[in-house]
Amino acid sequence: MSAAPPRLSVRDLSVDFVGDESVGGAVRAVDAVSFDVGAGEIVGVAGESGSGKSTLAQAILRTLPPPGVVRGGQVLLDGVDLLGLGAASLRAVRWKKLSWVMQSALDALNPVLTVRAQLDDVLARAEGPSSSSPAARDARAMALMADVGLPPERLDSHPHQLSGGMRQRVAIALALALEPALLVLDEPTTALDVVVERDLLRQLLSLQRARGFSVLFIGHDLGRIAQLADRIVVLYAGRVAEIAPGRAFRARARHPYARQLLAAMPGVGVEAATLRSIPGAPPSLRAPPAGCRFHPRCARASDACVTTAPPLVSLSGGLALSCHHPHDVHGR
Ligand SMILES: Nc1ncnc2c1ncn2[C@@H]1O[C@H](COP(=O)(O)OP(=O)(O)O)[C@@H](O)[C@H]1O
Ligand SMILES: [Mg+2]
């Protein structure tokens, strides 16, 4: 294990959605979540819909809309807590170190500008007053198009002239234009068809390997995320269930939720794997079950699970597990 400090360190992060009593009061969507993303590391966050993934991403990026409120914790990017930054310092960090692509690329693109104009705008603003020539920026825009697998002619397209996959590629090119130290991707390929998705992910991985930026990759498909991430964080109802190496996770997951999820999914490369194929549904966060939040769906649950929430126990190598009765690494 390297002794290098993590690029991103999320510590005890909790987020509520505040509502008045008529809607049942506050909902804790992210509950004391901690994990690290090392320099050059790809960390995947996986969990069913509603488990708090997007809320977590938005809290980290400081883009959480009301009524979401960060209740506690730290988000350290290279040791600086983003949660404590004023608007100007936050803007500086965003231009220098942090970029993201969310599920809908349409939100990230300006409908009235060509791809060329949008890339040029980002490149010029990222450079600040020491701006390079328009010709140099244009060359850089061409290179970014090649990086994300788009033909250079597409520089002159408007967003509505592009397919969903192309728009998502443009969004990624815009995010990469900033040469981020950390790229956060929240279900960036969910809206795409399988072939396009696979192609785009492959391209993203090869860019990541070449450039060495860190990636926080969020999605609902545990099997797929485990394949591409160095480490995987499994969320259940706003809490961390397990943090484990992505490689061999399919065989070595220890939390019963992760095991059930993986067992319920068809093999690698088979589509339409939905996480709803395990019995029951995730709990409402307005009234989560006592004890371990997974106990009503868990085949291994004991009395302790009904009454006592298992603490997240740190294991060596940045791994962690929150379960009274975990499987061993052989699945027993
Ligand atoms: N705008 C909102 N107002 C109230 N509650 C919300 C809002 N957005 C999300 N939540 C709550 O937070 C939970 C997690 O949502 P989200 O982070 O979007 O999950 P995911 O991205 O994993 O599907 C939801 O189940 C819901 O209870
Ligand atoms: Mg989401």
Side-chain angles (χ1 to χ4, degrees):
M1 280 257 96
S2 129
R7 178 121 272 164
L8 176 74
S9 186
V10 175
R11 300 271 72 99
D12 281 320
L13 186 62
S14 292
V15 181
D16 285 353
F17 285 99
V18 192
D20 58 35
E21 290 310 316
S22 66
V23 293
V27 168
R28 175 135 303 186
V30 172
D31 193 16
V33 167
S34 298
F35 65 92
D36 291 342
V37 182
E41 193 180 29
I42 302 177
V43 169
V45 174
E48 284 163 295
S49 177
S51 57
K53 303 181 298 295
S54 294
T55 305
L56 175 64
Q58 289 172 316
I60 290 170
L61 297 167
R62 294 266 319 260
T63 60
L64 189 67
V69 180
V70 173
R71 286 299 190 203
Q74 292 179 304
V75 176
L76 304 166
L77 184 64
D78 292 330
V80 173
D81 188 0
L82 299 184
L83 300 181
L85 293 183
S89 327
L90 182 62
R91 208 172 309 122
V93 167
R94 283 180 174 160
W95 283 106
K96 279 214 291 268
K97 291 190 173 175
L98 185 61
S99 54
W100 61 89
V101 178
M102 295 317 214
Q103 187 165 342
S104 167
L106 274 184
D107 301 340
L109 304 183
N110 185 329
V112 303
L113 295 180
T114 62
V115 173
R116 186 190 304 277
Q118 296 186 55
L119 278 169
D120 189 68
D121 185 50
V122 168
L123 290 166
R125 285 211 264 162
E127 287 164 355
S130 64
S131 210
S132 59
S133 69
R137 289 201 300 276
D138 215 48
R140 181 89 181 91
M142 297 268 252
L144 283 163
M145 294 293 274
D147 283 347
V148 297
L150 286 173
E153 311 84 87
R154 288 300 182 181
L155 278 171
D156 295 309
S157 299
H158 284 82
H160 73 267
Q161 296 170 311
L162 303 173
S163 68
M166 287 180 178
R167 285 199 288 259
Q168 211 60 6
R169 286 170 197 272
V170 171
I172 292 170
L174 285 165
L176 290 174
L178 301 173
E179 299 188 12
L182 174 69
L183 179 63
V184 178
L185 301 160
D186 185 6
E187 311 229 21
T189 58
T190 302
L192 309 179
D193 76 58
V194 199
V195 178
V196 175
E197 175 183 38
R198 198 173 305 145
D199 192 42
L200 186 52
L201 287 180
R202 194 176 303 133
Q203 214 137 15
L204 206 53
L205 284 186
S206 82
L207 280 175
Q208 191 274 339
R209 258 179 250 119
R211 310 272 166 81
F213 51 87
S214 304
V215 176
L216 181 59
F217 191 103
I218 291 169
H220 61 275
D221 186 336
L222 179 55
R224 172 124 356 144
I225 291 174
Q227 278 180 295
L228 61 92
D230 298 312
R231 240 150 19 102
I232 184 152
V233 178
V234 181
L235 279 190
Y236 187 78
R239 291 184 179 161
V240 174
E242 181 167 9
I243 301 179
R247 254 181 70 231
F249 187 67
R250 186 172 277 277
R252 291 178 171 263
R254 298 191 58 198
H255 197 288
Y257 172 59
R259 283 238 158 235
Q260 270 178 251
L261 218 52
L262 289 163
M265 292 197 295
V268 174
V270 181
E271 217 22 60
T274 78
L275 305 189
R276 256 172 240 112
S277 39
I278 68 174
S284 157
L285 295 177
R286 295 200 183 282
C292 173
R293 289 180 169 184
F294 185 58
H295 86 256
R297 300 169 83 187
C298 185
R300 295 167 80 93
S302 67
D303 291 348
C305 308
V306 179
T307 55
T308 313
L312 185 68
V313 176
S314 295
L315 311 171
S316 61
L319 313 184
L321 193 55
S322 163
C323 180
H324 292 307
H325 309 293
H327 293 270
D328 67 20
V329 292
H330 308 292
R332 288 187 283 268

Short mmCIF file of all heavy atoms in Angstrom, two decimals, residues 296-322:
data_model
loop_
_atom_site.label_atom_id
_atom_site.label_comp_id
_atom_site.label_asym_id
_atom_site.label_seq_id
_atom_site.Cartn_x
_atom_site.Cartn_y
_atom_site.Cartn_z
N PRO A 296 -34.32 -6.59 7.42
CA PRO A 296 -35.57 -7.20 6.94
C PRO A 296 -35.40 -8.01 5.64
O PRO A 296 -36.25 -8.85 5.33
CB PRO A 296 -36.49 -6.00 6.70
CG PRO A 296 -35.93 -4.91 7.56
CD PRO A 296 -34.44 -5.14 7.53
N ARG A 297 -34.33 -7.78 4.92
CA ARG A 297 -34.13 -8.49 3.65
C ARG A 297 -33.00 -9.52 3.74
O ARG A 297 -32.62 -10.10 2.72
CB ARG A 297 -33.78 -7.49 2.54
CG ARG A 297 -34.86 -6.45 2.29
CD ARG A 297 -34.35 -5.35 1.39
NE ARG A 297 -34.42 -5.70 -0.03
CZ ARG A 297 -33.91 -4.94 -1.00
NH1 ARG A 297 -33.26 -3.82 -0.68
NH2 ARG A 297 -34.02 -5.29 -2.25
N CYS A 298 -32.46 -9.69 4.93
CA CYS A 298 -31.21 -10.46 5.03
C CYS A 298 -31.46 -11.87 5.54
O CYS A 298 -32.10 -12.08 6.58
CB CYS A 298 -30.24 -9.74 5.97
SG CYS A 298 -28.62 -10.54 6.05
N ALA A 299 -30.94 -12.85 4.81
CA ALA A 299 -31.12 -14.25 5.19
C ALA A 299 -30.30 -14.60 6.44
O ALA A 299 -30.58 -15.59 7.11
CB ALA A 299 -30.70 -15.15 4.03
N ARG A 300 -29.29 -13.79 6.76
CA ARG A 300 -28.42 -14.13 7.89
C ARG A 300 -28.76 -13.37 9.16
O ARG A 300 -28.04 -13.48 10.16
CB ARG A 300 -26.97 -13.82 7.50
CG ARG A 300 -26.46 -14.69 6.37
CD ARG A 300 -25.16 -14.15 5.80
NE ARG A 300 -23.98 -14.47 6.58
CZ ARG A 300 -23.21 -15.53 6.38
NH1 ARG A 300 -23.51 -16.39 5.44
NH2 ARG A 300 -22.14 -15.73 7.12
N ALA A 301 -29.82 -12.56 9.11
CA ALA A 301 -30.11 -11.67 10.24
C ALA A 301 -30.39 -12.45 11.53
O ALA A 301 -31.07 -13.47 11.52
CB ALA A 301 -31.29 -10.78 9.91
N SER A 302 -29.86 -11.94 12.62
CA SER A 302 -30.10 -12.51 13.95
C SER A 302 -30.79 -11.43 14.80
O SER A 302 -31.04 -10.32 14.32
CB SER A 302 -28.78 -12.89 14.61
OG SER A 302 -28.04 -11.70 14.88
N ASP A 303 -31.05 -11.74 16.06
CA ASP A 303 -31.67 -10.75 16.95
C ASP A 303 -30.82 -9.49 17.06
O ASP A 303 -31.34 -8.37 17.13
CB ASP A 303 -31.86 -11.35 18.36
CG ASP A 303 -32.93 -12.44 18.36
OD1 ASP A 303 -33.65 -12.54 17.33
OD2 ASP A 303 -33.04 -13.17 19.35
N ALA A 304 -29.52 -9.67 17.08
CA ALA A 304 -28.62 -8.51 17.20
C ALA A 304 -28.84 -7.54 16.04
O ALA A 304 -28.80 -6.32 16.21
CB ALA A 304 -27.16 -8.98 17.22
N CYS A 305 -29.10 -8.07 14.87
CA CYS A 305 -29.27 -7.22 13.67
C CYS A 305 -30.55 -6.39 13.77
O CYS A 305 -30.64 -5.31 13.20
CB CYS A 305 -29.31 -8.09 12.42
SG CYS A 305 -27.90 -9.22 12.31
N VAL A 306 -31.53 -6.92 14.48
CA VAL A 306 -32.81 -6.22 14.61
C VAL A 306 -32.68 -5.05 15.58
O VAL A 306 -33.33 -4.02 15.42
CB VAL A 306 -33.90 -7.21 15.10
CG1 VAL A 306 -35.24 -6.50 15.28
CG2 VAL A 306 -34.04 -8.37 14.12
N THR A 307 -31.80 -5.19 16.56
CA THR A 307 -31.73 -4.16 17.60
C THR A 307 -30.53 -3.23 17.46
O THR A 307 -30.61 -2.07 17.86
CB THR A 307 -31.64 -4.82 19.00
OG1 THR A 307 -30.53 -5.73 19.00
CG2 THR A 307 -32.91 -5.57 19.33
N THR A 308 -29.44 -3.73 16.92
CA THR A 308 -28.19 -2.97 16.98
C THR A 308 -27.60 -2.77 15.59
O THR A 308 -27.34 -3.74 14.89
CB THR A 308 -27.13 -3.71 17.85
OG1 THR A 308 -27.76 -4.12 19.05
CG2 THR A 308 -25.95 -2.82 18.14
N ALA A 309 -27.41 -1.50 15.21
CA ALA A 309 -26.78 -1.23 13.93
C ALA A 309 -25.32 -1.65 14.00
O ALA A 309 -24.61 -1.27 14.93
CB ALA A 309 -26.88 0.25 13.60
N PRO A 310 -24.87 -2.45 13.06
CA PRO A 310 -23.46 -2.86 13.10
C PRO A 310 -22.56 -1.68 12.79
O PRO A 310 -22.82 -0.95 11.83
CB PRO A 310 -23.36 -3.93 12.01
CG PRO A 310 -24.50 -3.65 11.09
CD PRO A 310 -25.58 -3.00 11.90
N PRO A 311 -21.52 -1.44 13.59
CA PRO A 311 -20.61 -0.35 13.25
C PRO A 311 -19.82 -0.68 11.99
O PRO A 311 -19.67 -1.86 11.64
CB PRO A 311 -19.68 -0.28 14.47
CG PRO A 311 -19.73 -1.64 15.06
CD PRO A 311 -21.09 -2.21 14.76
N LEU A 312 -19.38 0.37 11.31
CA LEU A 312 -18.52 0.15 10.15
C LEU A 312 -17.11 -0.13 10.69
O LEU A 312 -16.49 0.74 11.29
CB LEU A 312 -18.51 1.38 9.25
CG LEU A 312 -17.74 1.25 7.94
CD1 LEU A 312 -18.43 0.27 6.99
CD2 LEU A 312 -17.59 2.61 7.26
N VAL A 313 -16.65 -1.35 10.51
CA VAL A 313 -15.35 -1.74 11.05
C VAL A 313 -14.32 -1.63 9.94
O VAL A 313 -14.48 -2.20 8.87
CB VAL A 313 -15.40 -3.19 11.59
CG1 VAL A 313 -14.02 -3.64 12.05
CG2 VAL A 313 -16.42 -3.29 12.72
N SER A 314 -13.25 -0.88 10.22
CA SER A 314 -12.20 -0.73 9.22
C SER A 314 -11.31 -1.96 9.22
O SER A 314 -10.90 -2.45 10.28
CB SER A 314 -11.35 0.50 9.54
OG SER A 314 -12.14 1.65 9.42
N LEU A 315 -11.04 -2.45 8.04
CA LEU A 315 -10.11 -3.55 7.88
C LEU A 315 -8.84 -2.97 7.27
O LEU A 315 -8.79 -1.78 6.96
CB LEU A 315 -10.72 -4.62 6.96
CG LEU A 315 -12.16 -5.05 7.32
CD1 LEU A 315 -12.75 -5.94 6.25
CD2 LEU A 315 -12.17 -5.74 8.68
N SER A 316 -7.84 -3.77 7.07
CA SER A 316 -6.61 -3.22 6.50
C SER A 316 -6.83 -2.81 5.04
O SER A 316 -7.78 -3.26 4.40
CB SER A 316 -5.49 -4.26 6.60
OG SER A 316 -5.87 -5.40 5.87
N GLY A 317 -5.94 -1.96 4.55
CA GLY A 317 -5.96 -1.60 3.14
C GLY A 317 -7.11 -0.72 2.73
O GLY A 317 -7.54 -0.73 1.58
N GLY A 318 -7.66 0.08 3.68
CA GLY A 318 -8.74 1.00 3.31
C GLY A 318 -10.07 0.28 3.12
O GLY A 318 -11.00 0.84 2.55
N LEU A 319 -10.17 -0.94 3.57
CA LEU A 319 -11.41 -1.68 3.41
C LEU A 319 -12.24 -1.58 4.68
O LEU A 319 -11.72 -1.25 5.75
CB LEU A 319 -11.10 -3.15 3.10
CG LEU A 319 -10.05 -3.36 2.01
CD1 LEU A 319 -9.88 -4.82 1.70
CD2 LEU A 319 -10.43 -2.58 0.76
N ALA A 320 -13.51 -1.86 4.58
CA ALA A 320 -14.39 -1.74 5.74
C ALA A 320 -15.64 -2.58 5.54
O ALA A 320 -16.02 -2.89 4.40
CB ALA A 320 -14.76 -0.27 5.96
N LEU A 321 -16.28 -2.90 6.66
CA LEU A 321 -17.43 -3.78 6.61
C LEU A 321 -18.37 -3.42 7.75
O LEU A 321 -17.93 -3.20 8.88
CB LEU A 321 -16.93 -5.22 6.76
CG LEU A 321 -17.85 -6.38 6.46
CD1 LEU A 321 -18.41 -6.27 5.05
CD2 LEU A 321 -17.07 -7.68 6.59
N SER A 322 -19.66 -3.37 7.45
CA SER A 322 -20.65 -3.05 8.47
C SER A 322 -21.67 -4.19 8.52
O SER A 322 -22.67 -4.16 7.81
CB SER A 322 -21.32 -1.72 8.12
OG SER A 322 -22.51 -1.57 8.85
#
